[in-house]
């Protein structure tokens, strides 16, 4: 098991901007002796997961691409997102939704949504296309999708009465492969009720679920720590 984890840690050293690494590069990134890293690289090369280039550096091998293609063919976004929404909704008692960019600049599409079966809740349904606005979700898209200037906003972003006078929400960006923005995770509910909840607990829960979802979508541990666990970064 330790050997497997070490081999995976070697593969994790590759990332955008670091596609070709020398033995010294690996040694700088890993708490392992060069001899151990060299043996790992040789084993990975024999199995096609890395290739040694003419200049002595290493790059990812064709076996990694094959596995990526297998993953893409079997990937089901709904199966990844919905359990996160269901858990967030169960933990908070409020509606949880996942938004992606709409067809026009600034628009957002409510792709998936889950809400408790009882009580009064936000009436946005999956499939709804929302225009740009100052709601927490609208602010996430303005900043991370449209490149609006940030004003040192802390995450998650909160809004009250921005889209309609009776609804409040918390939203946080979700990132995926190559640490690119892919969507927003949102908790929404009646303002009169959300004013009485433990805001710190709600914020911690949505950040935890966004971290989980971004990990499932391929975001790096470093970027996830910056966005969702700033005190640990």
């Amino acid at each position: 098991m330790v050997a497997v984890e070490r081999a995976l840690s070697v593969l994790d050293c590759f990332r955008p901007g670091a596609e070709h690494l020398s033995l010294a590069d690996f040694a700088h990134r890993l708490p392992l002796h060069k001899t151990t890293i060299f043996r790992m690289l040789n084993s990975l090369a024999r199995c096609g997961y890395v290739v040694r280039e003419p200049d002595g550096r290493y790059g990812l091998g064709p076996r990694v691409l094959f596995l990526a293609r297998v993953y893409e063919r079997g990937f089901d976004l709904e199966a990844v997102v919905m359990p996160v929404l269901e858990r967030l909704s169960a933990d908070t008692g409020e509606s949880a939704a996942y938004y992606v960019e709409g067809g026009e600049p600034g628009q957002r599409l409510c792709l998936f949504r889950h809400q408790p079966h009882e009580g009064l809740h936000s009436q946005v349904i999956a499939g709804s296309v929302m225009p740009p606005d100052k709601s927490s979700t609208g602010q996430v898209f303005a900043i991370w999708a449209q490149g609006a200037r940030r004003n040192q906003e802390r995450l998650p972003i909160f809004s009250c009465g921005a889209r309609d006078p009776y609804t409040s929400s918390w939203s946080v960006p979700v990132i995926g492969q190559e640490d690119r923005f892919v969507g927003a995770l949102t908790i929404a509910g009646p303002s009169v009720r959300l004013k009485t909840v433990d805001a710190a607990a709600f914020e911690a829960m949505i950040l935890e679920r966004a971290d989980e979802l971004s990990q499932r979508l391929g975001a790096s541990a470093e970027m996830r720590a910056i966005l969702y666990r700033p005190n640990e970064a």
Side-chain angles (χ1 to χ4, degrees), residues 2-16 18-22 25-27 29-32 36-52 58-65 67-68 220 222:
V2 173
V4 173
E5 292 177 352
R6 286 179 172 179
L8 292 174
S9 71
V10 170
L11 293 177
D12 281 342
C13 289
F14 294 104
R15 62 196 60 199
E19 296 90 354
H20 309 281
L21 300 172
S22 66
D25 292 329
F26 286 106
R29 289 166 168 78
L30 297 169
L32 300 172
T36 301
I37 298 171
F38 184 68
R39 287 201 302 267
M40 292 288 178
L41 287 168
N42 284 339
S43 296
L44 290 167
R46 284 195 297 272
C47 296
Y49 289 96
V50 301
V51 293
R52 189 175 186 187
Y58 294 86
L60 289 173
R63 186 66 183 172
V64 176
L65 178 59
L67 293 179
S220 71
E222 292 82 1

Side-chain angles (χ1 to χ4, degrees), residues 41 48 92 180 182 195 199 207 213 230:
L41 287 168
T92 62
R180 294 181 178 177
V182 294
K195 289 179 180 178
L207 288 172
L213 183 54

Side-chain angles (χ1 to χ4, degrees), residues 92-171:
T92 62
E94 301 297 341
S95 300
Y98 179 70
Y99 291 84
V100 296
E101 289 187 83
E104 300 294 332
Q107 287 184 345
R108 60 189 187 277
L109 166 68
C110 181
L111 191 60
F112 304 115
R113 184 174 181 273
H114 186 273
Q115 72 175 40
H117 297 296
E118 299 179 354
L120 179 65
H121 298 284
S122 169
Q123 295 304 304
V124 175
I125 61 174
S128 298
V129 177
M130 314 298 292
D133 56 33
K134 296 298 184 181
S135 68
S136 63
T137 315
Q139 292 181 62
V140 167
F141 276 87
I143 295 168
W144 275 272
Q146 301 300 312
R149 170 176 285 188
R150 298 188 62 178
N151 295 312
Q152 303 300 317
E153 298 90 349
R154 60 184 295 272
L155 295 179
I157 295 174
F158 177 77
S159 67
C160 178
R163 188 176 62 81
D164 69 63
Y166 309 108
T167 301
S168 295
S169 62
W170 283 275
S171 297

